[in-house]
Amino acid sequence: MADILPPNLLQERPRTPAGLLSNAEKDRLIERGFLGLYRWYTARSQETRNWNADRSFDWRHLRKDLPPEVVTVMQGFFAVEQYAPDFTSQLVHLVRRSHGRSHFQLRWGSEEEKHADAWENAVLFSEQRSPEWIAEYKERLRSQTWELPFPDAIHNLVYTVFQERATQLNYLNMMKIAQGKSEKPHLAGVSDPVLAKVAQTIAVDEAAHYNFFLEGVRMYLYYYPERTLDAIKNVIGQFSMPAASLVPDWQEFSETVYRAGIYGPRDFQRDVMQVAFRNLGIESRKALEEGIRKTREVPDFEGQNARTTAIFDTFDYGQIEGDVRRLHVKIQDYEQEIGFDKLDPTEFIENPEVPRQGGQAADD
Ligand SMILES: [Fe+2]
Ligand SMILES: [Fe+2]
């Protein structure tokens, strides 16, 4: 902040109360967490998910008689994923000052790019779209640019948590269809092992993405609860899938996806929002909104304690502290394996604002 405040205001900056972490220290801890997590993630990604969009699938044996609805869905998946260069460049730029986050976004982008190529292969090998049609479609898509859904890093981080989980769910449900497990009469008995493998492989990547961003949001929630809860509330208030406004036949795609039992508003409520909330120690959307409202009702001048209590009542901070601790243990194990621990270890530092056992805030 100091570098954007005019010099005459520098003296008026609120000081950090004794015993609490300054924002600079919180930022440093979050940055270290991201760097450690990024290193762990990259090693794991290369060891366990190093697949290739061309060679990892038996494309010649993809069925040529897939129901047209399935091809429409694959085409929509391709349309969204092929904005990978836009997603990546915009997000990298947003977090370029953070080593862990910007390098992660490059790695993430390289995985999203494989998803685009795999879905394009699926559309092509279905033989229900000509190569010329695909080329033209791609040109139409690429004539538009995807923009960030939110202007700042914390909102975009929260957005990606919900978006990655929603994407994973879409692919898992596509996998079920390809395994012949659809409950919808028009898709019953569709069985395509190649398509099932494609959907499953990509869904595993999306789960890994979800976990990375989730760990990031947990760190923010732990060190900056008020700001993070606010971002969560704003994001779920206006959530839509990425590129929904850019894909020309979006309406047809989303209706087909809904009718196929792949994804719809109820799935978002139950299998995206509720799952993410559970992983973030938030009981429900109602509890979140209530908590934020109560926090705002506490006037600043009444002192920090009442306000802090109201924030920490909004979510299960004990759960989040446990999660952030576990993340650090995972990072420390990795650092020991490599030898970073001897030179530059990542350490977990408790947030003293978090109420301790017996309901007393540490600064009471
Ligand atoms: Fe993806
Ligand atoms: Fe993803």
Side-chain angles (χ1 to χ4, degrees):
M1 277 297 275
D3 52 350
I4 55 164
L5 284 175
N8 61 333
L9 283 180
L10 281 175
Q11 295 308 315
E12 293 171 26
R13 269 188 310 164
R15 295 257 171 85
T16 308
L20 296 187
L21 297 171
S22 68
N23 284 357
E25 181 63 0
K26 289 177 177 181
D27 293 346
R28 190 191 70 80
L29 293 170
I30 293 172
E31 171 60 19
R32 282 304 304 247
F34 268 119
L35 179 59
L37 177 60
Y38 153 73
R39 284 182 176 138
W40 174 89
Y41 177 97
T42 302
R44 196 172 167 84
S45 160
Q46 288 177 310
E47 281 156 17
T48 64
R49 295 186 289 109
N50 200 21
W51 55 275
N52 179 276
D54 297 337
R55 289 195 190 271
S56 298
F57 309 103
D58 184 8
W59 290 114
R60 280 192 196 88
H61 287 99
L62 189 87
R63 276 175 65 162
K64 312 299 166 207
D65 59 349
L66 284 168
E69 290 87 353
V70 170
V71 181
T72 299
V73 174
M74 298 192 311
Q75 176 191 310
F77 288 164
F78 160 64
V80 176
E81 295 275 11
Q82 66 80 51
Y83 284 104
D86 285 346
F87 302 147
T88 310
S89 58
Q90 302 251 8
L91 288 164
V92 166
H93 185 72
L94 190 70
V95 295
R96 54 173 295 285
R97 291 175 71 158
S98 159
H99 171 184
R101 293 183 68 180
S102 63
H103 284 206
F104 170 76
Q105 290 297 166
L106 294 175
R107 171 74 43 189
W108 171 88
S110 74
E111 295 179 4
E112 297 296 359
E113 153 266 301
K114 291 198 293 184
H115 304 172
D117 291 343
W119 286 124
E120 181 175 349
N121 283 347
V123 174
L124 178 72
F125 282 91
S126 77
E127 295 189 15
Q128 296 189 37
R129 302 285 186 276
S130 69
E132 295 74 24
W133 187 94
I134 295 172
E136 212 175 290
Y137 186 57
K138 213 159 32 175
E139 221 176 274
R140 256 178 98 182
L141 293 166
R142 293 276 169 141
S143 69
Q144 309 225 54
T145 314
W146 179 84
E147 308 282 355
L148 290 171
F150 296 93
D152 65 317
I154 177 73
H155 277 82
N156 282 293
L157 177 69
V158 169
Y159 173 78
T160 45
V161 168
F162 291 94
Q163 175 265 315
E164 294 288 357
R165 172 68 195 165
T167 314
Q168 181 201 3
L169 188 66
N170 271 272
Y171 297 160
L172 285 176
N173 285 332
M174 176 60 123
M175 177 188 80
K176 275 190 205 155
I177 293 173
Q179 289 172 337
K181 293 178 185 163
S182 173
E183 285 156 13
K184 304 285 175 186
H186 69 295
L187 298 171
V190 175
S191 175
D192 188 327
V194 181
L195 176 57
K197 189 181 170 192
V198 173
Q200 183 176 24
T201 304
I202 304 181
V204 172
D205 276 3
E206 306 299 12
H209 297 169
Y210 171 73
N211 272 306
F212 183 96
F213 293 119
L214 175 70
E215 297 283 27
V217 172
R218 281 169 169 164
M219 286 195 285
Y220 269 102
L221 192 53
Y222 183 62
Y223 291 111
Y224 289 112
E226 195 172 354
R227 211 196 279 184
T228 310
L229 291 166
D230 221 33
I232 295 170
K233 184 186 135 233
N234 296 338
V235 166
I236 55 164
Q238 54 180 105
F239 183 85
S240 66
M241 288 301 273
S245 59
L246 304 180
V247 177
D249 27 27
W250 186 266
Q251 196 57 29
E252 189 199 347
F253 166 63
S254 69
E255 279 164 18
T256 311
V257 159
Y258 178 72
R259 276 199 306 271
I262 292 176
Y263 183 76
R266 268 178 61 192
D267 302 284
F268 177 75
Q269 296 284 334
R270 201 186 46 204
D271 290 328
V272 177
M273 206 170 73
Q274 282 309 323
V275 170
F277 275 6
R278 205 163 48 237
N279 291 331
L280 291 168
I282 299 167
E283 200 187 292
S284 64
R285 186 175 182 170
K286 203 168 152 239
L288 172 70
E289 283 165 1
E290 271 296 273
I292 291 173
R293 193 179 55 74
K294 275 192 198 148
T295 308
R296 288 194 179 136
E297 273 173 6
V298 179
D300 272 335
F301 57 81
E302 270 191 17
Q304 192 62 31
N305 283 351
R307 208 175 159 85
T308 306
T309 308
I311 301 163
F312 283 106
D313 280 348
T314 310
F315 68 106
D316 185 345
Y317 52 81
Q319 178 194 322
I320 293 305
E321 186 170 86
D323 291 332
V324 176
R325 266 183 204 281
R326 263 190 299 282
L327 168 66
H328 281 75
V329 170
K330 182 166 90 174
I331 292 170
Q332 285 156 358
D333 285 350
Y334 180 77
E335 291 183 346
Q336 262 174 30
E337 208 184 295
I338 311 300
F340 287 125
D341 59 318
K342 293 280 180 288
L343 300 173
D344 188 19
T346 301
E347 285 168 330
F348 171 71
I349 306 286
E350 270 182 10
N351 180 4
E353 286 162 71
V354 173
R356 296 292 143 202
Q357 276 177 352
Q360 292 288 300
D363 54 341
D364 273 358

